[in-house]
Amino acid sequence: MNLQSEIDYFTDLPATGQARLLALVLHELSVAARSTYGAAPDQVQDGARLRFVNEITSRLARYIEQVLADERDRPAEDVLMRMLLAPRADKAAESLVINAYRRAIQGFDRNDTTVTMLPG
């Protein structure tokens, strides 16, 4: 994966496209986080990984809200994408995020519906 090309792709999306893509990433991250806990509520098997996913999902959810509200003081697109996709010292965490992003982008490409239809 080429980080700069992903940044360029994300930056070129309209606000609704950015929000939709990040919502898909959030969904994929939440699915991946399921592997960190067992069947019972007190059976967290990988607390560090669960906390990592929670922190990323919190940041992405806030960014989605900022994009949809058109807040000008939100992080720049390249900052957000680097936070999400840049190499990490924790390779398991890096793999979790990259795989979630790849699944999200595949779903996003298949369902590209960011065109707005105007009444005619």
Side-chain angles (χ1 to χ4, degrees), residues 2-113:
N2 181 298
L3 180 57
Q4 189 57 52
S5 68
E6 297 304 322
I7 291 169
D8 294 343
Y9 178 79
F10 185 77
T11 301
D12 288 342
L13 291 173
T16 55
Q18 288 182 359
R20 225 171 45 74
L21 175 57
L22 292 178
L24 288 168
V25 172
L26 284 175
H27 171 74
E28 292 298 337
L29 285 170
S30 71
V31 170
R34 291 178 181 163
S35 68
T36 67
Y37 52 84
D42 62 342
Q43 292 179 327
V44 174
Q45 298 166 348
D46 191 347
R49 190 82 52 238
L50 183 57
R51 183 181 181 113
F52 168 77
V53 172
N54 186 54
E55 290 300 320
I56 289 218
T57 57
S58 176
R59 290 177 187 171
L60 292 178
R62 176 66 178 132
Y63 188 86
I64 290 170
E65 192 276 327
Q66 289 174 312
V67 165
L68 293 176
D70 197 26
E71 287 184 20
R72 296 295 174 202
D73 62 341
R74 68 181 179 260
E77 286 99 346
D78 68 313
V79 171
L80 177 86
M81 293 304 285
R82 287 180 198 288
M83 180 272 303
L84 186 63
L85 300 176
R88 301 178 188 284
D90 181 345
K91 293 305 178 189
E94 179 182 328
S95 178
L96 185 143
V97 172
I98 296 297
N99 289 333
Y101 179 80
R102 282 187 177 139
R103 288 188 304 273
I105 200 81
Q106 288 171 351
F108 184 76
D109 287 343
R110 280 195 313 269
N111 300 305
D112 189 7
T113 58

